[in-house]
């Protein structure tokens, strides 16, 4: 096989998981100031479902084939001219970048060194892939956006998923009283993550939940309803929008931010080295562990997408790149 090419997950049209396939593309070479990473694993993220289905085509365009994969773990195998702060052989994790920067579902990837961090020595690279995108988002949401304080009441909506499972662990570590909303089958699971209260979201109405100081929402629906649960001075961090109604949902988020300054925060994670340094420190201090539901080989990325769309994930679906 030509060693100037590599395997990558591609799709030639928008659609369901069945459009994904593993093909061969040119192997990248690091430009000046870039790093070449041999990818070992990546996770499957919710935003990629909308990307693959074409719901974000105004951002990604219609030129095919398009690539898949957002975050990654791996080893540095080559440095571009003038690259500093990282060395060949380093075990790293990172995020490929904002849309249309997908492409980590491949054997190799080039990224700027500021988008990388070093993985703790005792953390397996496949398990570690559950953390780069989701856990840096959870840290930013709780610590930087919401300024969560010890003793405050925290509600995590979608607590069993990737960001949610990290937010539950971190909320407990930060000293909050954590209430987790999840499916009935996942209630014991979120308790093991540190939730003080675990509630089946289908058996209660929001009004029954009581007031909260901080709400972390990973569902993206009914945001106005949940916003009413905030105490005076409370903060809501919205980390998702309704993928079935992207324009209306984004409009609702924008309106909430305008009419509730200081109370509703929405952001799209774009982590850099400082975020990954924070992530490694949280892992090393025992505040955070990767939560992996299932590991799929690269050739079964479509199956991982089907599983995520079916719902019920505990933590993250991870794709291993052999």
């Amino acid at each position: 096989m030509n060693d100037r090419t590599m395997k990558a997950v591609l799709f030639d049209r928008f659609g369901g998981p069945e459009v994904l396939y593993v093909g061969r593309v040119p192997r990248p070479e690091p430009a000046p100031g870039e790093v070449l990473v041999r990818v070992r694993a990546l996770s499957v993220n919710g935003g990629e479902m909308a990307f693959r289905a074409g719901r974000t085509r105004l951002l990604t365009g219609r030129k095919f084939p398009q690539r898949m994969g957002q975050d990654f773990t791996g080893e540095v195998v080559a440095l571009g001219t003038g690259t500093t702060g990282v060395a060949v052989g380093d075990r790293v994790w990172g995020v490929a970048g904002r849309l249309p920067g997908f492409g980590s579902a491949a054997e190799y990837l080039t990224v700027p060194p500021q988008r990388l961090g070093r993985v703790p020595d005792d953390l397996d690279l496949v398990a570690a892939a559950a953390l780069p995108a989701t856990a840096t988002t959870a840290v930013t949401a709780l610590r930087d956006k919401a300024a969560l304080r010890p003793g405050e009441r925290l509600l995590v909506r979608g607590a069993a998923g990737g960001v949610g499972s990290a937010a539950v662990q971190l909320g407990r570590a930060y000293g909050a009283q954590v209430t987790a909303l999840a499916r009935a089958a996942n209630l014991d699971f979120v308790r093991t993550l540190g939730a003080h209260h675990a509630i089946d979201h289908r058996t209660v109405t929001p009004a029954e939940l009581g007031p909260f100081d901080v709400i972390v929402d990973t569902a993206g629906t009914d945001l106005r309803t949940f916003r009413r649960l905030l105490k005076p001075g409370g903060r809501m961090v919205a980390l998702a929008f309704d993928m079935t109604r992207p324009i209306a949902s984004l409009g609702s988020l924008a309106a909430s931010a305008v009419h509730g300054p200081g109370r509703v925060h929405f952001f799209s994670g774009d982590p850099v080295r400082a975020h990954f340094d924070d992530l490694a420190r949280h892992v090393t201090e025992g505040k955070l562990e990767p939560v992996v539901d299932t590991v799929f080989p690269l050739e079964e990325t479509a199956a991982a997408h089907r599983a995520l769309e079916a719902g019920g994930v505990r933590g993250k679906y991870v794709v291993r790149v052999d």
Side-chain angles (χ1 to χ4, degrees):
M1 186 65 66
N2 184 351
D3 63 4
R4 295 181 180 274
T5 67
M6 66 175 183
K7 291 181 181 179
V9 176
L10 310 169
F11 60 103
D12 297 325
R13 68 185 192 281
F14 296 122
E18 69 278 359
V19 304
L20 300 178
Y21 67 95
V22 174
R24 299 201 73 87
V25 299
R27 172 177 162 170
E29 295 294 333
E34 286 188 338
V35 173
L36 178 66
V37 176
R38 169 68 166 94
V39 179
R40 294 300 180 185
L42 59 136
S43 74
V44 180
N45 296 283
E48 296 171 62
M49 309 299 105
F51 171 52
R52 187 209 64 227
R55 298 191 188 105
T56 60
R57 68 189 69 185
L58 292 178
L59 296 174
T60 62
R62 299 170 179 264
K63 185 178 180 180
F64 295 102
Q66 294 196 26
R67 299 273 296 277
M68 188 55 65
Q70 184 179 3
D71 55 7
F72 59 90
T73 61
E75 299 103 2
V76 175
V77 294
L79 304 177
T81 304
T83 302
T84 60
V86 66
V88 171
D90 282 353
R91 292 166 13 106
V92 295
W93 48 19
V95 173
R98 295 180 180 273
L99 288 172
F102 290 108
S104 66
E107 292 180 297
Y108 294 90
L109 178 73
T110 55
V111 291
Q114 61 266 28
R115 286 197 166 276
L116 297 173
R118 289 184 176 84
V119 177
D121 291 339
D122 58 352
L123 189 58
D124 174 75
L125 286 178
V126 175
L131 292 175
T134 55
T136 56
T137 297
V139 171
T140 302
L142 292 174
R143 188 190 63 192
D144 302 336
K145 298 295 183 179
L148 181 67
R149 296 184 290 270
E152 289 193 316
R153 294 195 69 206
L154 166 67
L155 175 67
V156 179
R157 192 170 174 223
V163 176
S165 61
V168 170
Q169 293 182 70
L170 291 169
R172 181 68 179 249
Y174 293 160
Q177 289 290 315
V178 182
T179 297
L181 287 184
R183 294 185 177 193
N186 289 332
L187 297 184
D188 286 341
F189 166 68
V190 295
R191 289 188 187 100
T192 67
L193 298 177
H196 297 88
H197 310 284
I199 300 173
D200 180 357
H201 68 92
R202 292 170 295 187
T203 64
V204 298
T205 63
E208 296 176 84
L209 295 173
F212 293 93
D213 299 287
V214 173
I215 298 174
V216 172
D217 186 283
T218 71
T221 58
D222 300 322
L223 293 178
R224 290 183 180 179
T225 299
F226 279 89
R227 179 188 167 202
R228 297 189 187 102
L229 301 182
L230 290 175
K231 294 180 179 180
R235 294 85 69 200
M236 180 176 184
V237 184
L239 299 174
F241 57 89
D242 188 349
M243 291 297 183
T244 64
R245 304 168 53 251
I247 302 301
S249 182
L250 284 171
S252 177
L253 281 171
S256 294
V258 170
H259 296 298
R263 298 191 64 181
V264 179
H265 306 270
F266 175 75
F267 73 98
S268 176
D270 192 25
V272 293
R273 182 176 296 174
H275 295 95
F276 296 116
D277 290 344
D278 285 341
L279 175 57
R281 184 168 58 254
H282 280 80
V283 171
T284 301
E285 292 175 352
K287 295 179 180 178
L288 183 66
E289 294 182 359
V291 181
V292 178
D293 186 303
T294 307
V295 178
F296 296 83
L298 186 69
E299 288 75 12
E300 295 181 17
T301 301
H305 277 234
R306 290 189 192 96
L308 187 59
E309 289 184 336
V313 62
R314 294 184 175 186
K316 298 290 289 182
Y317 292 122
V318 168
V319 174
R320 184 185 69 248
V321 184
D322 292 322

